[in-house]
Amino acid sequence: MICNLVRVTEISGVICSERGRIRRMIGIPKWGDRRSLESYWDLLVLLVQKELKVRYKKNVLGYVWSIANPLAFAFVYFFAFKVVMRINTEAYPLVLLSGLFPWQWYANTITTAPNYFISTSAIIRKVSFPLSTIPLAATLNNMLHFLFSVPVLVLMLFFYHRMPTVNWIYGLPLLIVIQTTTLYGISLMLSALNLFLRDIERVAQIIAQFAFFFTPIVYTVDLIPDRYLVLLPLNPAAPLMVSWRDLILNGQFDWMYVSISAGYALLFLGLGYWVFSKLSYRFAEVA
């Protein structure tokens, strides 16, 4: 009987140790442990700072590159749709930028997410740290670049004799949290899967290209025929992009679209963590 108790104790110790190892690998801090939370936060800040330094290293223009890409595309789409096709949309450059800036954050995260663990494979093999901080740091990095573009949107509003409303005070943080949660979940899933199936990277790029034209970015919701409007919520990006445009242009948004976006955020976060937790124990082998 004593031998059996010893065995049970040993097995329990192994299970607890393995649970602790998996918890550290996945990146779930002990919420009651202040030191654990502080270490997690310090690591996250360090990774975000590293990403910023790498992106802007030896770049003379620096901040300008955060807004140059959407501004260039806005010029192309303005010429194609407003000048050539003559779409009758008021303040069309502002309409374009109000969709392109949030979309840049969305698309950049999706297209780069598959390589998060591949690009850090040397660190993963040698250092033990919460791996979930890598996708989170990259998502937050792209979020910062979106925040850098907000002053440009404000200037464009003033140019068209408009201004931000009081609803921005709660609307901006709300949509930022929803989009960050959505993209973090997607990043966890894509970065984990791509280690085992490298085609995920190309699939993500194709999906991002298709999603761009199926999302009201270069056109507005009122241009969508009524018979197709009911399909809009089936596109996870569409309700969120519509909410961003409504907030930026009109200072308000449709709470139905915001609720749908929040539902997608929780869905992707749960799915992403499930995929990540199932595969993370083999990262060091395949990275």
Side-chain angles (χ1 to χ4, degrees):
M1 185 173 180
I2 295 176
C3 293
N4 289 336
L5 287 173
V6 170
R7 275 198 202 115
V8 169
T9 304
E10 290 176 350
I11 292 172
S12 300
V14 171
I15 291 174
C16 291
S17 176
E18 185 65 16
R19 282 179 179 173
R21 186 185 70 82
I22 293 174
R23 176 180 285 270
R24 289 192 298 272
M25 185 187 308
I26 293 176
I28 304 174
K30 295 179 180 178
W31 300 111
D33 187 348
R34 181 178 175 183
R35 182 175 296 179
S36 176
L37 289 171
E38 288 178 352
S39 299
Y40 190 89
W41 173 254
D42 291 340
L43 176 61
L44 186 60
V45 171
L46 184 65
L47 288 173
V48 172
Q49 290 176 342
K50 181 186 76 69
E51 289 289 334
L52 287 172
K53 289 178 181 178
V54 169
R55 178 171 291 198
Y56 290 130
K57 186 177 181 181
K58 297 182 180 179
N59 285 334
V60 178
L61 297 180
Y63 163 75
V64 177
W65 291 117
S66 298
I67 60 175
N69 191 54
L71 286 175
F73 276 105
F75 174 77
V76 172
Y77 293 129
F78 175 82
F79 181 79
F81 291 97
K82 187 69 174 179
V83 177
V84 178
M85 300 179 66
R86 301 189 179 183
I87 288 181
N88 187 22
T89 301
E90 183 183 358
Y92 190 58
L94 179 58
V95 171
L96 278 174
L97 291 179
S98 64
L100 285 171
F101 279 131
W103 175 256
Q104 182 188 35
W105 173 16
Y106 205 98
N108 283 352
T109 303
I110 291 177
T111 54
T112 58
N115 287 316
Y116 288 162
F117 292 132
I118 293 176
S119 60
T120 56
S121 57
I123 301 176
I124 291 174
R125 294 193 196 100
K126 298 177 181 178
V127 183
S128 176
F129 66 99
L131 300 181
S132 64
T133 53
I134 296 176
L136 181 56
T139 303
L140 293 177
N141 184 273
N142 287 322
M143 180 200 72
L144 289 176
H145 290 290
F146 168 73
L147 292 178
F148 294 158
S149 69
V150 172
V152 178
L153 291 172
V154 175
L155 288 175
M156 288 295 293
L157 283 171
F158 286 138
F159 181 80
Y160 284 98
H161 307 290
R162 306 182 186 186
M163 62 178 59
T165 66
V166 178
N167 293 339
W168 279 42
I169 297 175
Y170 70 88
L172 275 176
L174 176 61
L175 295 182
I176 286 172
V177 168
I178 291 175
Q179 184 153 332
T180 301
T181 305
T182 302
L183 294 176
Y184 179 45
I186 294 174
S187 298
L188 280 173
M189 180 170 54
L190 294 181
S191 56
L193 290 174
N194 195 54
L195 281 173
F196 301 87
L197 187 63
R198 299 301 169 91
D199 296 329
I200 295 295
E201 178 183 359
R202 300 188 182 277
V203 172
Q205 292 173 353
I206 293 173
I207 290 175
Q209 292 174 356
F210 270 93
F212 175 79
F213 291 102
F214 282 104
T215 305
I217 297 172
V218 297
Y219 54 90
T220 55
V221 175
D222 58 295
L223 295 177
I224 302 175
D226 292 339
R227 63 180 181 274
Y228 298 123
L229 196 58
V230 294
L231 301 177
L232 189 66
L234 298 180
N235 176 0
L240 188 55
M241 296 301 114
V242 170
S243 298
W244 274 117
R245 175 168 286 159
D246 286 344
L247 177 65
I248 294 169
L249 297 183
N250 308 316
Q252 57 189 7
F253 39 61
D254 189 332
W255 284 103
M256 182 189 72
Y257 284 138
V258 174
S259 300
I260 294 172
S261 300
Y264 275 122
L266 295 176
L267 173 64
F268 283 122
L269 181 64
L271 184 60
Y273 251 110
W274 181 78
V275 172
F276 178 77
S277 62
K278 291 294 182 181
L279 300 177
S280 58
Y281 75 97
R282 292 189 55 198
F283 281 5
E285 302 173 14
V286 298

